[in-house]
Amino acid sequence: MSPKDFQNLLNMSVKPLRIDLLTYLKKHNIKKKFDKQIKLFEENPRYPSLNTEILEPKHLKIYSFRIDKKYRAVFIFTTPDEIEIIDINDHYQ
């Protein structure tokens, strides 16, 4: 899927998080923020506060969206309308 295709998507499905990612959210006390952002993402992946973007190098087709000013969720498409979050990290480290 290209970044251009991504601009037309609505109503995304998100695979359940791995245990290590849930643990990370709880450890950094951002689970509630994540839940809010994931709901926005599912309804509209282009919602402005998400700042959804494709990461470099673009040919890898790895994307991210903002959980808050500090944390981002990194994801890949598993199907044209489903994503899997593969990492949650501190955007500034």
Side-chain angles (χ1 to χ4, degrees), residues 19-31:
I19 296 296
D20 62 313
L21 296 177
L22 281 171
T23 302
Y24 184 91
L25 290 172
K26 291 174 185 175
K27 179 181 176 185
H28 292 83
N29 201 27
I30 55 172
K31 177 79 167 79

Side-chain angles (χ1 to χ4, degrees), residues 28 66-72 89-93:
H28 292 83
R66 181 181 288 168
I67 297 170
D68 65 13
K69 289 183 181 181
K70 184 175 180 181
Y71 294 98
R72 297 193 65 87
N89 60 49
D90 181 334
H91 189 56
Y92 297 104
Q93 283 191 348

Side-chain angles (χ1 to χ4, degrees), residues 4-30:
K4 188 174 184 179
D5 295 333
F6 182 71
Q7 298 302 313
N8 299 321
L9 295 176
L10 291 174
N11 297 320
M12 295 295 300
S13 166
V14 180
K15 290 182 115 177
L17 285 181
R18 298 187 324 250
I19 296 296
D20 62 313
L21 296 177
L22 281 171
T23 302
Y24 184 91
L25 290 172
K26 291 174 185 175
K27 179 181 176 185
H28 292 83
N29 201 27
I30 55 172

Side-chain angles (χ1 to χ4, degrees), residues 37-88:
Q37 294 299 84
I38 206 69
K39 187 174 180 179
L40 286 173
F41 184 88
E42 288 174 330
E43 293 172 7
N44 179 3
R46 294 175 287 128
Y47 193 84
S49 72
L50 293 170
N51 289 83
T52 306
E53 62 184 358
I54 189 167
L55 304 179
E56 294 288 342
K58 291 180 180 182
H59 74 275
L60 294 178
K61 298 180 182 171
I62 300 173
Y63 300 82
S64 73
F65 66 84
R66 181 181 288 168
I67 297 170
D68 65 13
K69 289 183 181 181
K70 184 175 180 181
Y71 294 98
R72 297 193 65 87
V74 179
F75 66 93
I76 58 172
F77 282 90
T78 54
T79 69
D81 60 352
E82 180 184 69
I83 67 157
E84 179 177 359
I85 296 175
I86 58 172
D87 192 32
I88 296 170

